[in-house]
Amino acid sequence: MLNAAAAERNKEPILAVLRESVNTGRPLQALEISSGTGQHVTHFAQGLRNVIWQPSEYDRQSLASIEAYRAHYQLHNVKPAIHLDASQPPQYWGGIQPESLDLVVNINMIHISSFACTEGLFKGAGIVLKPQGLLLTYGPYAVNGQITPQSNIDFDYSLRQRNSEWGLRDISLLSSTAQRNGLFLEKLIDMPANNKCLLFRKESLV
């Protein structure tokens, strides 16, 4: 059971956003892409018992940690974790069917992965979400070409030093990428530690 300090800090504020954003009165199907340690999905599953959660990860060590959290908490609404590469088309996402999900959650991935993963996230979410389904992303972002405060500027610099394909993405870029895949930015919520939650809604054809 790996433990990420940031996940421990932000899991409750993100759960609060989820509680306000999803229907808590009927059964829902959710996919977390890039589940990390498993701290988020097990916390969300305890707080939203009406949601069946599918955790996923690219990193094998993290997959083992997610399974350890599942075993520890014995949650009936968390499925076994699947290996998922967000840069790949959704037909390679562990058998998840088109328009089968009410919710896709992606926390702290966009800035520490190539933009191909971000494009894949939006393309895949646009396919696997039901009409009116929700994609929630969380992390630090640039706004209209500006990164604030200084700590996020320093963080962006350190990420790009580690990998030139990493770095904070601009919300306008994410919004336009979403729109190309039938999703629109419905809400932007300021979060603790200079992060934001972005809520993207899948447009219905009605």
Side-chain angles (χ1 to χ4, degrees):
M1 291 172 67
L2 300 174
N3 186 281
E8 202 58 39
R9 287 193 301 271
N10 64 36
K11 66 184 185 182
E12 185 57 34
I14 298 171
L15 176 59
V17 172
L18 286 169
R19 279 203 180 102
E20 289 190 1
S21 306
V22 303
N23 187 331
T24 57
R26 64 180 180 87
L28 301 176
Q29 299 286 332
L31 166 67
E32 185 184 22
I33 294 177
S34 188
S35 295
T37 60
Q39 288 162 266
H40 285 124
V41 74
T42 48
H43 186 69
F44 300 160
Q46 291 171 84
L48 292 167
R49 295 279 183 173
N50 64 306
V51 181
I52 304 295
W53 292 89
Q54 174 64 73
S56 71
E57 247 300 336
Y58 179 75
D59 176 68
R60 297 287 181 183
Q61 189 180 15
S62 295
L63 282 167
S65 180
I66 296 163
E67 287 306 291
Y69 273 91
R70 281 185 71 243
H72 178 78
Y73 287 105
Q74 295 286 301
L75 296 164
H76 298 297
N77 59 332
V78 181
K79 295 179 179 179
I82 57 172
H83 181 259
L84 190 153
D85 180 349
S87 69
Q88 295 297 307
Q91 59 261 41
Y92 301 108
W93 287 11
I96 295 168
Q97 296 301 302
E99 298 197 351
S100 64
L101 300 177
D102 302 282
L103 174 66
V104 175
V105 175
N106 181 245
I107 298 168
N108 281 336
M109 180 200 83
I110 288 174
H111 57 284
I112 51 171
S113 57
S114 71
F115 195 65
C117 291
T118 298
E119 290 178 308
L121 168 69
F122 284 105
K123 188 171 186 177
I127 292 169
V128 299
L129 282 171
K130 298 173 184 175
Q132 295 300 304
L134 189 69
L135 167 64
L136 179 149
T137 72
Y138 169 94
Y141 304 98
V143 181
N144 298 322
Q146 300 294 313
I147 297 174
T148 57
Q150 185 62 44
S151 59
N152 274 357
I153 295 173
D154 296 341
F155 183 44
D156 179 65
Y157 178 78
S158 70
L159 289 171
R160 293 178 189 279
Q161 290 294 108
R162 285 164 62 192
N163 188 320
S164 61
E165 293 192 348
W166 294 1
L168 275 61
R169 314 294 181 192
D170 200 289
I171 290 173
S172 61
L173 174 62
L174 300 181
S175 182
S176 62
T177 304
Q179 286 175 12
R180 287 198 299 275
N181 293 288
L183 303 159
F184 65 94
L185 181 57
E186 183 176 80
K187 204 170 189 181
L188 187 158
I189 302 167
D190 287 320
M191 302 292 283
N194 305 302
N195 292 300
K196 298 181 191 301
C197 272
L198 309 182
L199 301 178
F200 299 90
R201 184 75 62 181
K202 181 174 179 177
E203 296 173 296
S204 68
L205 299 175
V206 177

